[in-house]
């Protein structure tokens, strides 16, 4: 997995050594020898990961990390702090300003590359979602307003641990941040609970023989419900090999025993925020896609959607097209104004919608025209539906304020099977609609002129 890595250290020898290690693994390497240079490079080059020395003159690593996380361009770039400091309070300080992990000097190669791979996997997924969300914003489908801060309150975490004291310590630490915990001792029970897809974080305590817990991590990554669930491993310092294996299997983070409650809380918060941010991006995309295929006035599908839907149907099966036009709609707008016209459009749209099957699609096709596509509908059935739609509109006038509007519709019907171009089918329905309008409106005509009398 190749990527662009920014290495930051004020000691030239350290930089060159790190550069050589990274290039040997085919990473593209950017170098910075000060905090300010690191920020300039990060803002202009947008690396995939930043390896950041803590102890630097002028601007230290904590200040650099804080500045990176405060800027929209770089706030989602993973940061790994590289330091000779070993005090847990220093790790907590770094995690609280947004660092993803710490590596101790001299940097162990296996640990370095395992962490890079794990962080890059997560970043690639988030980059994909973020790019889609940015595209939606550029198209005007989503607001470009600043995003609100992500809270971890009321998140749900599952704790798998065999030792009651460790389980209680983890639970108490997380509850300090209002994170709800479910504690289990069985791997089978953990998997059963997690497969429900209701958790924001899983903390897996490694026993002396960690094989089955790591196998659980692998299974969780293979399932749709848990593929993006953050996994945090709890391990002894002597279990470094198992932790690195866990990273390769999909774990996101780790904490070594004896557990520091503040460090554990900071790591848990970071993982939950990242998951919730990804969920926010996914929800934005879902909304954007819905907006892209929905007519904002009527709530029906729009022209773009129904055309694609019809194209897809006609590849494999028969479909009926009903082109619907509101009779004398211009006079409604001219007499009562566009606000009343909009009410009429919405009411007609709703009456059409409730008269159709769930498998059918009705869309606003443009102006006062609607297009309904009936899957697998022969001519006789399509005409029955068209007449039902016509009667549903004419049966009761539309009321808005003091205005009472008797409204009718005219419908052109065309039926085609696999291989018939959508344009041809819609064109045939349009011709039938024209004849229905010409012959007095409030009629449903089939595209085949021989069947017009039965349609009347």
């Amino acid at each position: 997995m190749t990527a662009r890595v920014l290495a930051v250290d004020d000691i030239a020898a350290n930089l060159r050594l790190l550069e050589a290690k990274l290039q040997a693994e085919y990473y593209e390497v950017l170098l910075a020898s000060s905090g300010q240079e690191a920020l300039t490079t990060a803002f202009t080059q947008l690396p995939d990961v930043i390896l950041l020395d803590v102890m630097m003159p002028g601007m230290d690593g904590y200040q650099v990390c804080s500045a990176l996380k405060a800027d929209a361009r770089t706030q989602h770039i993973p940061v790994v702090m590289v330091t000779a400091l070993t005090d847990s309070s220093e790790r907590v300080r770094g995690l609280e300003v947004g660092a993803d992990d710490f590596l101790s000097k001299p940097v162990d190669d296996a640990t370095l590359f395992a962490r890079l791979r794990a962080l890059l996997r997560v970043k690639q997924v988030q980059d994909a979602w973020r790019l889609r969300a940015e595209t939606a914003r550029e198209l005007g489908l989503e607001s470009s307003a600043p995003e609100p801060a992500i809270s971890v309150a009321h998140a749900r975490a599952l704790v798998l641990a065999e030792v009651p004291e460790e389980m209680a310590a983890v639970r108490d630490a997380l509850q300090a941040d209002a994170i709800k915990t479910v504690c289990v001792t069985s791997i089978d029970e953990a998997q059963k609970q997690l497969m429900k897809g209701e958790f924001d974080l899983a903390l897996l305590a490694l026993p002396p023989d960690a094989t089955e817990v790591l196998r659980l991590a692998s299974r969780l990554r293979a399932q749709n419900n848990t593929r993006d669930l953050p996994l945090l491993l709890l391990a002894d310092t002597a279990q470094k090999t198992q932790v690195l294996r866990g990273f390769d299997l999909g774990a996101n983070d780790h904490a070594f025993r004896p557990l520091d409650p503040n460090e554990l809380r900071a790591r848990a918060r970071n993982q939950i925020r990242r998951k919730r941010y990804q969920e926010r991006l996914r929800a934005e995309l879902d909304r954007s896609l819905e907006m892209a295929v929905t007519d904002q006035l009527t709530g029906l599908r729009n022209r773009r959607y129904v055309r694609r839907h019809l194209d897809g149907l006609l590849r494999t099966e028969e479909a009926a097209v009903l082109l619907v036009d509101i009779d004398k709609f211009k006079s409604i707008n001219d007499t009562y104004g566009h606000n009343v016209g909009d009410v009429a459009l919405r009411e007609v749209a709703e009456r059409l919608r409730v008269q159709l099957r769930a498998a059918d699609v009705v869309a606003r096709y443009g102006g006062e025209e609607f297009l309904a596509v009936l899957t697998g509908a022969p001519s006789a059935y399509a005409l029955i539906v068209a007449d039902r739609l016509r009667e549903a509109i004419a049966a009761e006038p539309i009321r808005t304020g003091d205005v009472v509007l008797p409204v009718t519709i005219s419908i052109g019907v065309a039926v085609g099977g696999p291989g018939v171009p959508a344009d041809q089918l819609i064109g045939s329905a349009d011709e039938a609609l024209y004849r229905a309008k010409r012959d007095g409106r409030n009629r449903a005509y089939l595209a085949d002129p021989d069947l017009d009398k039965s349609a009347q």
Side-chain angles (χ1 to χ4, degrees), residues 45 180 189 197 312 390 437:
Q45 300 298 314
K180 300 177 181 178
E189 180 62 21
R390 185 183 58 78
K437 293 283 218 182

Side-chain angles (χ1 to χ4, degrees), residues 50-63:
I50 299 174
L51 300 177
L52 180 61
D53 186 29
V54 173
M55 303 301 293
M56 294 186 294
M59 178 180 284
D60 65 23
Y62 301 120
Q63 294 169 306

Side-chain angles (χ1 to χ4, degrees), residues 89-130:
S89 63
E90 298 295 336
R91 290 197 299 273
V92 172
R93 182 183 174 191
L95 292 166
E96 288 180 342
V97 297
D100 292 86
D101 206 355
F102 280 79
L103 295 178
S104 298
K105 294 181 179 180
V107 175
D108 174 73
D109 291 357
T111 303
L112 168 64
F113 295 122
R115 290 308 285 131
L116 286 178
R117 288 191 296 270
L119 291 170
L120 286 169
R121 277 196 304 269
V122 175
K123 184 175 185 294
Q124 284 180 341
V125 172
Q126 287 199 346
D127 282 351
W129 285 109
R130 191 161 55 250

Side-chain angles (χ1 to χ4, degrees), residues 149-272:
I150 296 175
S151 169
V152 303
H154 310 300
R156 284 172 54 85
L158 181 135
V159 182
L160 170 63
E162 293 181 351
V163 179
E165 292 79 10
E166 183 173 50
M167 183 184 293
V170 173
R171 182 191 61 228
D172 292 345
L174 298 182
Q175 286 179 346
D177 287 316
I179 299 172
K180 300 177 181 178
T181 59
V182 173
C183 299
V184 298
T185 58
S186 159
I187 290 176
D188 289 341
E189 180 62 21
Q191 181 170 345
K192 178 182 176 182
Q193 291 283 346
L194 292 172
M195 287 303 175
K196 297 177 182 178
E198 300 173 349
F199 290 91
D200 300 291
L201 175 67
L203 300 99
L204 309 180
L206 300 186
D209 182 357
T211 303
E212 293 306 315
V213 174
L214 294 179
R215 187 169 283 122
L216 171 63
S218 179
R219 287 198 299 267
L220 293 174
R221 280 293 168 261
Q223 300 296 321
N224 286 334
N225 282 359
T226 53
R227 185 163 293 152
D228 298 321
L229 175 69
L231 305 179
L232 196 159
L233 304 180
L234 310 177
D236 294 326
T237 54
Q239 291 178 300
K240 186 178 74 172
T241 301
Q242 290 92 327
V243 170
L244 298 184
R245 179 59 177 154
F247 287 144
D248 287 337
L249 292 173
N252 300 86
D253 202 356
H254 74 293
F256 282 128
R257 303 178 180 108
L259 299 176
D260 180 295
N262 293 322
E263 179 182 348
L264 181 63
R265 289 171 56 195
R267 291 183 183 276
R269 287 195 299 267
N270 286 347
Q271 293 301 323
I272 292 170

Side-chain angles (χ1 to χ4, degrees), residues 125 129 228 277-287:
V125 172
W129 285 109
D228 298 321
Y277 172 69
Q278 186 170 315
E279 289 172 345
R280 176 189 289 176
L281 293 178
R282 185 182 288 113
E284 286 179 1
L285 181 61
D286 289 343
R287 286 196 303 271

Side-chain angles (χ1 to χ4, degrees), residues 212-374:
E212 293 306 315
V213 174
L214 294 179
R215 187 169 283 122
L216 171 63
S218 179
R219 287 198 299 267
L220 293 174
R221 280 293 168 261
Q223 300 296 321
N224 286 334
N225 282 359
T226 53
R227 185 163 293 152
D228 298 321
L229 175 69
L231 305 179
L232 196 159
L233 304 180
L234 310 177
D236 294 326
T237 54
Q239 291 178 300
K240 186 178 74 172
T241 301
Q242 290 92 327
V243 170
L244 298 184
R245 179 59 177 154
F247 287 144
D248 287 337
L249 292 173
N252 300 86
D253 202 356
H254 74 293
F256 282 128
R257 303 178 180 108
L259 299 176
D260 180 295
N262 293 322
E263 179 182 348
L264 181 63
R265 289 171 56 195
R267 291 183 183 276
R269 287 195 299 267
N270 286 347
Q271 293 301 323
I272 292 170
R273 287 187 184 119
R274 182 178 288 117
K275 179 176 183 290
R276 289 189 164 181
Y277 172 69
Q278 186 170 315
E279 289 172 345
R280 176 189 289 176
L281 293 178
R282 185 182 288 113
E284 286 179 1
L285 181 61
D286 289 343
R287 286 196 303 271
S288 300
L289 292 174
E290 185 68 19
M291 291 175 66
V293 299
T294 301
D295 175 64
Q296 297 305 301
L297 176 63
T298 64
L300 298 180
R301 293 305 186 197
N302 60 18
R303 183 188 187 107
R304 178 192 306 172
Y305 178 90
V306 75
R307 285 300 304 268
R308 287 178 176 258
H309 176 70
L310 181 58
D311 285 336
L313 276 182
L314 292 175
R315 293 192 188 102
T316 58
E317 57 188 302
E318 186 177 52
V321 164
L322 279 61
L323 192 59
V324 179
D325 187 84
I326 301 178
D327 296 327
K328 299 181 180 179
F329 183 74
K330 184 176 183 299
S331 66
I332 296 176
N333 280 337
D334 292 345
T335 304
Y336 302 104
H338 288 277
N339 288 340
V340 172
D342 288 348
V343 171
L345 285 170
R346 285 193 290 266
E347 179 61 23
V348 168
E350 179 61 15
R351 293 187 193 182
L352 294 176
R353 186 188 64 79
V354 299
Q355 291 294 328
L356 295 174
R357 303 171 300 180
D360 301 329
V361 172
V362 60
R364 186 180 180 198
Y365 202 61
E368 67 271 25
E369 279 193 335
F370 301 87
L371 185 71
V373 176
L374 281 55

